[in-house]
Amino acid sequence: MLIRLAPLSLLAMAATASAGLIDGFDGSSSGSSTTTFSDTISGGSVFGGAREIKLDTYGGTLSSPWSFSESGGALSLTRATSDGGDFFIQYGAGTGSAGRDNALGAGNDILRITFGANTGIVNVNAQIQSWDGGYSNFVTATRLGSGGGAGGVLDLDFSGEATQNFGVIRIYVTPIDANTSITVDSIEAVPEPASIAVLGLGLAAFRRRAKR
């Protein structure tokens, strides 16, 4: 039996151009506050070994508590009032190696956030931040939902960012309306479509040669 092996370059592309789970929210935690607070989970499978969920009220006091809850493979964020504030979700810390691949994984340029049901309008933006305080430009997604909906997938593309010592992923989730409930099902790092297309063409060409 003759076994043909794929070229090492294709195998390397296959290894790098694949999605990586940053967080599946399979833990259990919750919290609520009328002022700035944070909750940190260490260990497990979250990126960088630590995840922080923070409510930032920017020095103000909310008229009613905002809250979060992680259970059953999902994170729920609830804005109870029209007061100003943001939730953010942050992963990782430390120097690591140079380049954004330290944060998203080699070959991955897309930060993909999958949302479940939501009951209002949500703005989402993200930055990949370096350990020494430098950061990439914000990559901002369009508003998600209007008057409630089934959620969806938001892709934040970091492929055009300059190389830095990226080691921290920070995602800002801003509920626009009062009484907004947001569910986040997962956060992943995935290849940009062009990388997947190139990989597919290369493997297809290899298969044609293998049949000869």
Side-chain angles (χ1 to χ4, degrees), residues 9 12-13 35 46 71 74 80 93 103 114 122 126 164 192 207 211:
S9 60
M13 289 176 66
T35 58
V46 298
S71 65
T114 302
V122 182
Q164 297 183 41
E192 60 179 332
R207 291 193 187 101
K211 290 180 180 179

Side-chain angles (χ1 to χ4, degrees), residues 72-127:
L75 173 68
S76 296
L77 305 171
T78 301
R79 174 180 184 169
T81 67
S82 58
D83 304 295
D86 290 310
F87 288 106
F88 74 72
I89 309 167
Q90 179 170 292
Y91 300 90
T95 58
S97 57
R100 67 173 176 274
D101 287 345
N102 184 44
L104 296 185
N108 294 328
D109 290 314
I110 303 293
L111 184 64
R112 174 168 292 171
I113 307 171
T114 302
F115 289 87
N118 63 92
T119 60
I121 299 174
V122 182
N123 271 343
V124 180
N125 58 56
Q127 65 182 195

